[in-house]
Amino acid sequence: MKTKILILAIVVAMMSSCGNDKKKDGEVKDTSKTETVNVPVFNEDSAYSYVDKQVSFGPRVPGSKAHLECRDWLVSELKRHGAETTVQNITVRTYDNKVINGYNIIGSINPGAQSRIMLSSHWDSRPYADWDPDPANHNKPILGANDGASGVGVLLEIARVLKTNQPPIGVDIFFWDVEDYGEPRDAQGQEKEDTWGLGSQYWSKNPHKPGYTARYGILLDMVGASFASFYHEGFSQRYAPSIVSKVWSHAHELGYANYFLNSESNPIMDDHYYVNKYANIPTIDIIHQDNNSQTGFFPYWHTLKDDMSQIDRKTLKVVGQTLLRTVFYEK
Ligand SMILES: [Zn+2]
């Protein structure tokens, strides 16, 4: 994914600062706090092993053997956890006019429930380490331990937990493909729009089930690094401010205020943007942004060092437990 240009960030910041939605959401949250809801435990060791397993296939670049092997493993894991699983075969055109095959993977839990929420993450990894400090690495694929595998690992652990703990609503887990094939830094010519999130763009225009909808969606992206910082990302705040409020409140109730920060950040062109824009499902992005790094993301973003050494079980726990709490407090 990439950061949207600054002028848009300013416009979005102005738009979202106009309303008083935050206050209203705070009142809603207070009501739910008084209830006692049993929320199952998220196991960070299990989540870590799911991240590690994905990385063990190698870079999951569309068109590679590792990509197909990982696809089959993800499908078998979702099925093993009792999810009704669909693979959406897609054909997309990349920034350099290659036509490639991809696979969006969807696991439905409690499929009979009318009211649903969607949890998602991209499962492909980037073909280019275009932010690696060594330019010789810029055309090499990345392992994407944090950028890709971390979010999927958290969601697989949630699927495992939900198998034995029936949620009060339906939960659909989406693994987006071809998110990270966007135009590389060194590409000639002008920056093209919409070269990222190709799998979610496709699905948002062609849902796997006609008429599919959900109350809201939560996207995870880079949720595994130590001391991650999650802000009210600009598009989330614009399209789904009440969901940002809700999720951040749950995180704070759990004592995770050091991770879930209450300030707004630059909008990011990520899968949630297309789900909001084309599928009209209000969707937020829990994404690690870092004002102190050159790229605005976690320091090893799109480098060869995005490997298992970046993954911290504590961060997986923080995000996973927050999601479980959010799910179980729904009615
Ligand atoms: Zn990426």
Side-chain angles (χ1 to χ4, degrees), residues 1-2 122 124-126 128 142 144 146-148 179-181 196 221-222 270 297-298 301-302 306:
M1 84 300 309
K2 70 189 282 281
H122 77 87
D124 60 308
S125 68
R126 182 156 178 74
Y128 319 108
I142 68 168
N146 197 30
D147 189 358
E179 189 282 328
D180 233 345
Y181 220 116
W196 307 81
D221 202 349
M222 300 188 283
D270 204 347
F297 297 112
F298 93 109
W301 180 70
H302 293 180
D306 182 0

Side-chain angles (χ1 to χ4, degrees), residues 4-36:
K4 198 66 184 152
I5 51 174
L6 187 60
I7 188 156
L8 181 53
I10 295 164
V11 171
V12 169
M14 287 167 65
M15 286 171 64
S16 57
S17 61
C18 295
N20 61 351
D21 288 351
K22 285 176 189 167
K23 284 198 184 97
K24 283 183 202 149
D25 289 335
E27 287 160 18
V28 171
K29 180 211 72 178
D30 287 339
T31 313
S32 68
K33 261 197 303 185
T34 59
E35 303 166 20
T36 308

